[in-house]
Amino acid sequence: MLTAVTGAILLGLILLMTQPVIPMGTASEPPVPASSPSDVAPELPVTPADPGDPELVDAGDPELVDPGAPELVDVAGTVTYSSVLESGVVALVVVMALAAVLGWLTARRALRPIRSITSAAQRAADQELSTRIWLSGPNDEIKELADAFDHMLARLERSFASQRRFLANAAHELKTPVAAQRAVTEVAMTRPDAGIGTKELGRKLLASLDHQQRVLTGLFALAQNAETVERKDTVNLADLTDDILHERIARNDEQIKPISELDVAKVRGDAALLEQLIRNLIDNAFVHNEPCGWVSVRTIGTTTESVLEIANGGNHIDTTKAGQLFEPFRRLCFNRADPPPGSGLGLSVVRAIAEAHGGSVSARPRDEGGLVVRVCLPAA
């Protein structure tokens, strides 16, 4: 576009500066010098003219004009401007085509490092933090950008590796004392001389240890990011949900009626984390329910996604506050006098695991009371 505008301006200036030139072969009267009235032109001898001479044809008589003879018209300016304009337009078109080709080649070569940076950024977004650009060339602004991007990826890789090591060490250091306390408590409860008070205290300690275990597991799941999840297992949500549901029904103290509709829904991910996701949803559906209520569990499999949907009856929940259910330690139906069981991390862990597997989770309060939780994961 800039080339076309510049060429048009240049062509206009050339036309403005071009002076009309009389083309060769056109007749023109020579200029007559100015003379005074006293000047008398000398008489010239008159030679009888031959009537048949073609040069003495009367131009005013149309019958005597040769139709094949060219007209003596002054077209100097028209011929000059027309020629310059035609040549200029042709030259402008050629220059524009050449400039377009050269501009495309130059832009392609100049943007090649940008494409390398974009490709590296996409690989890093796909959890390949070990990727690097290693751009070679002159030390210009683009190379500085590529080097800064490489440095950023190196720091991110070290940070995530350090976080994974910290989580592994913290899990070991925190779970080991809890397991030891559980073992000591169980041994004390099974002693022959253990009294009723000792056994009651042991049951309370075991319940407290179970609570600590759930809190630790939930915190580790929340701290785990998508880059640390290995999606190497192919899991059928229907089979896994059916096993966990039957296990929960076996210890159904609330007399909740289960309803299941399980279709094949396969996903790829971490089997242990997916099991924890389903277990948290089913436990929440049984615990946060009305007496002698119901729980509905469904799995739906399509070509693009696998869906787990769990609904239950219970207390009415404000629709505007449904999103707060996924915040850690947030309970909308919390009563300090009679707190519900659990740690307040169940749905937070569910959301973290779903997002780590490239999926999503949503909650919709029912008009009759209760909640519908829907988890959508990419199909295997």
Side-chain angles (χ1 to χ4, degrees):
M1 184 63 183
L2 182 60
T3 304
V5 173
T6 306
I9 295 174
L10 181 60
L11 180 59
L13 292 176
I14 293 175
L15 291 176
L16 289 176
M17 291 186 296
T18 302
Q19 297 295 331
V21 179
I22 301 175
M24 296 180 61
T26 59
S28 179
E29 292 288 342
V32 179
S35 60
S36 62
S38 60
D39 294 336
V40 179
E43 295 184 0
L44 298 176
V46 179
T47 304
D50 185 2
D53 192 352
E55 295 181 359
L56 299 179
V57 178
D58 187 1
D61 189 355
E63 297 180 356
L64 300 178
V65 176
D66 185 3
E71 297 182 3
L72 302 179
V73 181
D74 187 7
V75 292
T78 303
V79 173
T80 301
Y81 282 104
S82 177
S83 301
V84 172
L85 183 60
E86 292 177 0
S87 302
V89 170
V90 172
L92 180 60
V93 171
V94 173
V95 170
M96 286 178 57
L98 184 61
V101 174
L102 293 178
W104 180 79
L105 293 175
T106 304
R108 183 178 177 85
R109 181 179 180 84
L111 294 178
R112 188 177 301 167
I114 304 298
R115 288 195 295 271
S116 300
I117 297 175
T118 303
S119 177
Q122 292 174 348
R123 292 195 301 271
D126 293 335
Q127 307 175 17
E128 297 182 16
L129 295 179
S130 60
T131 184
R132 297 292 184 272
I133 302 175
W134 303 122
L135 184 65
S136 60
N139 292 325
D140 52 6
E141 290 79 3
I142 296 180
K143 190 174 187 305
E144 291 179 359
L145 174 62
D147 294 342
F149 194 82
D150 287 341
H151 181 65
M152 179 190 67
L153 288 178
R155 294 198 62 180
L156 284 175
E157 186 180 15
R158 290 195 299 267
S159 175
F160 283 123
S162 175
Q163 183 181 12
R164 285 192 293 269
R165 288 193 300 269
F166 171 77
L167 288 175
N169 295 333
H172 176 74
E173 294 296 331
L174 293 176
K175 288 182 178 180
T176 300
V178 173
Q181 294 174 22
R182 171 181 288 277
V184 171
T185 303
E186 291 176 348
V187 169
M189 292 175 61
T190 56
R191 291 180 60 180
D193 57 345
I196 298 177
T198 303
K199 293 182 180 180
E200 182 65 23
L201 179 61
R203 281 192 292 269
K204 291 182 179 180
L205 286 175
L206 289 178
S208 177
L209 291 173
D210 289 339
H211 176 75
Q212 294 182 25
Q213 183 70 30
R214 287 195 300 269
V215 171
L216 289 175
T217 304
L219 289 176
F220 289 138
L222 286 177
Q224 194 172 30
N225 50 67
E227 286 73 17
T228 63
V229 175
E230 296 182 359
R231 306 175 190 177
K232 59 182 180 180
D233 302 324
T234 301
V235 179
N236 186 0
L237 295 181
D239 296 340
L240 192 58
T241 302
D242 187 58
D243 294 340
I244 297 174
L245 183 60
H246 280 84
E247 180 184 336
R248 187 62 178 82
I249 293 173
R251 51 186 178 90
N252 183 10
D253 300 329
E254 304 88 350
Q255 300 300 318
I256 303 297
K257 178 183 177 181
I259 304 172
S260 61
E261 183 181 347
L262 305 176
D263 297 332
V264 177
K266 294 183 178 182
V267 299
R268 286 190 62 83
D270 189 307
L273 290 179
L274 292 174
E275 179 182 354
Q276 185 177 359
L277 179 148
I278 299 172
R279 191 179 300 279
N280 285 358
L281 289 178
I282 292 179
D283 285 343
N284 280 355
F286 274 83
V287 171
H288 301 284
N289 209 321
E290 56 189 359
C292 299
W294 57 273
V295 171
S296 174
V297 181
R298 290 201 310 159
T299 57
I300 305 170
T302 65
T303 57
T304 58
E305 66 178 3
S306 297
V307 178
L308 171 64
E309 184 178 277
I310 298 181
N312 68 325
N315 297 327
H316 287 271
I317 299 176
D318 189 355
T319 306
T320 60
K321 297 181 179 180
Q324 301 178 7
L325 292 170
F326 297 99
E327 298 179 5
F329 305 106
R330 189 63 180 265
R331 304 180 185 182
L332 300 183
C333 303
F334 183 75
N335 185 3
R336 293 186 181 276
D338 185 20
S343 60
L345 290 172
L347 292 181
S348 302
V349 173
V350 169
R351 182 177 63 178
I353 296 175
E355 292 178 351
H357 287 79
S360 61
V361 59
S362 61
R364 176 177 58 84
R366 300 177 65 252
D367 296 335
E368 301 83 2
L371 193 67
V372 178
V373 180
R374 184 181 179 91
V375 179
C376 299
L377 299 173

